[in-house]
Amino acid sequence: MAEADNPCVRCGACCAAFRVDFSVEELDSRFGRVPDGLTVEVTDGTCRMRGTDHAQPRCAALVGTVGVQAHCGIYEWRPSPCREFGLLAPLGRGDEACSRARARHGLPPLV
């Protein structure tokens, strides 16, 4: 599938639907890759992507308009929960979590 056909490139619903917590070991300052400035500390060992704990979540790294043309601005450096989410979506196939995220934004599930 060409990148232009990848529904994730224009969706972004997952980035505006869920809280994203991960180990501080993934932070750039700890020799990981996630930019520190896009995160907030949760505990000594856990941080969260900024914006994902709001009543209407929207990750600080999300660029564009959900469902129209949206993508992760730090895709190469995104945290592990984002890497593990929706592994089949680039193939046009969603899972339950992807479908819930898309439904929150009035988008049909991927089939």
Side-chain angles (χ1 to χ4, degrees):
M1 173 180 284
E3 185 170 318
D5 295 329
N6 179 345
C8 291
V9 173
R10 59 187 176 276
C11 181
C14 58
C15 305
F18 302 114
R19 184 172 51 218
V20 181
D21 291 358
F22 54 97
S23 170
V24 296
E25 299 303 318
E26 294 187 56
L27 292 173
D28 186 44
S29 63
R30 301 274 187 112
F31 304 105
R33 299 187 67 180
V34 180
D36 291 50
L38 294 176
T39 67
V40 293
E41 183 179 332
V42 177
T43 68
D44 287 342
T46 307
C47 56
R48 176 174 297 146
M49 288 303 295
R50 195 176 292 281
T52 65
D53 60 352
H54 296 169
Q56 294 182 338
R58 182 179 169 98
C59 181
L62 180 60
V63 178
T65 304
V66 173
V68 177
Q69 187 72 24
H71 67 277
C72 177
I74 61 164
Y75 188 81
E76 301 265 334
W77 306 289
R78 68 196 187 283
S80 56
C82 302
R83 292 179 181 280
E84 297 163 4
F85 187 90
L87 295 175
L88 296 177
L91 301 175
R93 295 175 44 204
D95 57 21
E96 183 182 333
C98 174
S99 295
R100 282 194 326 264
R102 290 176 61 85
R104 281 186 79 159
H105 297 280
L107 301 170
L110 299 177
V111 289

